[in-house]
Each structure stands twice: as C-alpha cells, then as structure tokens.
C-alpha cells in the first residue's frame, strides 16, 4: 500500500440558507477546478447581518486533496 501526500487549500463559502449550504457551495465550486478532493475541516464560521437578521453564512474550510502518483 502506498502512502499518500495531501495538499491543503483554504476556501470560504457563503450562503443565505445555512452553514451546511455554504460548505456545499465551497466544495462544489472547488471541485470544478481541483482534483482528488478527499476531506475538509471547518476552521471558521461567521455571518453577515442585515436589519437585525442573519443575511449570509460564511464558512472557511481547509480542504485536502491527494496529490497524484
């Protein structure tokens, strides 16, 4: 079995719906241009407030991609 090496990138996704949707948006967009995405870790969650209500969720992720052999 080969050992794997991973590269990490940091992404921030946003959504008006939820934290979960912000994560999914970031990963979906990254997967359009990056290959071998394997894992993610949420490192920061924040939001934008308008008129006393949550307007946007913003989630920063570390995403790991396995380097090709």
């Amino acid at each position: 079995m080969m050992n794997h090496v991973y590269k990490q990138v940091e992404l921030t996704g946003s959504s008006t719906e939820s934290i979960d949707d912000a994560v999914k948006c970031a990963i979906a967009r990254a997967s359009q241009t990056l290959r071998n995405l394997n894992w993610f870790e949420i490192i920061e969650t924040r939001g934008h407030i308008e008129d006393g209500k949550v307007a946007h969720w913003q989630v920063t992720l570390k995403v790991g991609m396995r380097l090709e052999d």
Side-chain angles (χ1 to χ4, degrees):
M1 175 179 232
M2 292 185 71
N3 294 325
H4 298 291
V5 175
Y6 296 87
K7 177 176 179 65
Q8 293 182 27
V9 295
E10 194 169 288
L11 307 170
T12 301
S14 65
S15 171
T16 57
E17 302 298 317
S18 66
I19 292 169
D20 184 57
D21 193 50
V23 170
K24 288 177 182 176
C25 288
I27 291 173
R29 177 61 183 90
S31 69
Q32 293 176 6
T33 56
L34 301 173
R35 294 191 307 262
N36 302 322
L37 298 178
N38 283 108
W39 56 266
F40 71 92
E41 173 186 358
I42 296 174
I43 58 173
E44 185 175 25
T45 305
R46 61 185 176 277
H48 177 240
I49 301 169
E50 288 181 5
D51 299 321
K53 296 180 182 176
V54 175
H56 292 92
W57 293 98
Q58 298 169 329
V59 181
T60 301
L61 317 165
K62 282 186 184 177
V63 177
M65 62 188 109
R66 185 178 36 80
L67 298 180
E68 295 177 344
D69 298 327

